[in-house]
Amino acid sequence: PVVVVHLTCRDGYDVILEARRSGQKVYAETCHQYLLMEDSLYDLPGMEGAKYVCAPPLRKKEDCECLWEGLASGQIQTVSTDHCSFTTEQKDLGKDDFTKIPGGMPGVETRGILLYTYGVDQGRISLEQMCRVLSENPARLYGMYPQKGVIAPGSDGDIVVLRPGAEDVITAENQLSNIDYAPFEGTKVTARIEKVFLRGQLAVSEGQVVLEKAGKFIKRGKYQFGTLRPQSRIHLPSRRRRLRSTIKCCTHLPIGML
């Protein structure tokens, strides 16, 4: 099988669907910046646009909508991020030469709450779909399932506790990442990650890291992903029902994919 990473646009999406129709086994991944950002950011004055230089680059609004549809229908299997933590000083290396701008953006810290806010809370995907694309599907595709990607006896107790309805604003000042800017600066979110457990041990609490240097090497096996079956359009419950159900659902994220 082939995994196409960082899918950004309808043209690429259509090629993937055509390959599947011809009998090829192709999986797709996108990133939250391609779901939520547009290429108009490159028109910002000075070096502001350099903050959003990444590969592939940001696309048009219609491409963002195509990717959301792909997530909702199950045609896109995972949402991830490279988390390239370049500072503005490093981005400024390209002020006289575009080719010297370091490519990439930070994103791992806000991916979960952004996908919940603009995916689940706005009715684009279900809570269960969010858990699959952030957790179960990556674990299956990259040979870590069932050690990762599921809450079950014998699996690692890696659990993210997310509180829905918590209204926050993303700022560089409040982030844990050692970077002097936030790509989603000023963006309102409707969820907060309150606790993270690593193999059953509390690693993050109330926005603070309380367990460090506890990572372990995971020997990957063969991928475990069944036949690709597009999902029918899901009729999502009301926001109130989604909030209640979120309390009952723990997101189990493979380490390194928070």
Side-chain angles (χ1 to χ4, degrees):
V2 173
V3 179
V4 177
V5 299
H6 288 26
L7 181 63
T8 66
C9 61
R10 177 169 290 281
D11 287 346
Y13 181 75
D14 290 342
V15 169
I16 290 170
L17 297 188
E18 180 59 32
R20 289 174 181 165
R21 286 192 289 267
S22 69
Q24 298 184 59
K25 187 173 290 187
V26 184
Y27 301 98
E29 170 248 76
T30 191
C31 303
H32 62 293
Q33 66 264 30
Y34 301 127
L35 293 164
L36 298 170
M37 290 180 166
E38 301 170 26
D39 61 0
S40 58
L41 289 168
Y42 296 132
D43 296 327
L44 292 173
M47 289 298 291
E48 283 298 302
K51 295 177 179 178
Y52 306 97
V53 170
C54 56
L58 304 176
R59 307 296 187 182
K60 304 292 185 184
K61 182 178 180 180
E62 52 266 32
D63 294 307
C64 297
E65 292 304 320
C66 171
L67 297 178
W68 279 115
E69 292 173 6
L71 278 181
S73 64
Q75 299 285 11
I76 296 175
Q77 283 71 47
T78 66
V79 176
S80 64
T81 169
D82 278 343
H83 190 71
C84 296
S85 53
F86 297 112
T87 64
T88 53
E89 182 179 4
Q90 290 172 312
K91 287 284 189 176
D92 285 345
L93 293 172
K95 63 182 179 181
D96 298 318
D97 184 349
F98 169 83
T99 64
K100 290 183 170 57
I101 299 175
M105 291 185 283
V108 69
E109 187 171 341
T110 55
R111 182 182 50 162
I113 57 176
L114 285 167
L115 196 59
Y116 179 87
T117 299
Y118 295 98
V120 177
D121 209 26
Q122 292 194 4
R124 288 185 169 114
I125 60 174
S126 70
L127 182 64
E128 291 77 12
Q129 286 173 310
M130 171 182 158
C131 293
R132 278 195 292 270
V133 299
L134 289 182
S135 175
E136 180 183 349
N137 290 352
R140 286 182 178 277
L141 281 174
Y142 303 131
M144 295 184 288
Y145 188 90
Q147 182 179 352
K148 304 291 184 181
V150 64
I151 299 176
S155 299
D156 286 354
D158 302 337
I159 300 172
V160 171
V161 179
L162 180 149
R163 177 176 294 279
E167 297 185 355
D168 285 327
V169 177
I170 295 173
T171 66
E173 181 181 359
N174 294 330
Q175 67 187 4
L176 292 176
S177 301
N178 188 22
I179 314 164
D180 60 349
Y181 82 98
F184 287 91
E185 181 79 31
T187 300
K188 295 180 180 180
V189 291
T190 58
R192 181 185 303 136
I193 292 176
E194 295 196 333
K195 296 184 185 299
V196 178
F197 293 88
L198 169 60
R199 296 188 300 276
Q201 291 184 282
L202 183 64
V204 175
S205 180
E206 305 299 334
Q208 299 298 318
V209 176
V210 296
L211 178 67
E212 296 185 353
K213 300 179 181 180
K216 289 185 177 181
F217 173 76
I218 299 174
K219 185 177 180 180
R220 290 164 46 181
K222 186 178 180 180
Y223 85 103
Q224 300 181 47
F225 215 98
T227 303
L228 285 167
R229 296 187 181 89
Q231 302 169 20
S232 58
R233 190 67 180 174
I234 293 177
H235 296 286
L236 298 174
S238 67
R239 184 174 187 273
R240 179 174 296 179
R241 289 180 57 197
R242 290 202 305 274
L243 293 180
R244 288 203 302 266
S245 66
T246 305
I247 298 173
K248 301 177 183 178
C249 181
C250 292
T251 308
H252 179 102
L253 302 177
I255 295 305
M257 299 182 183
L258 295 179

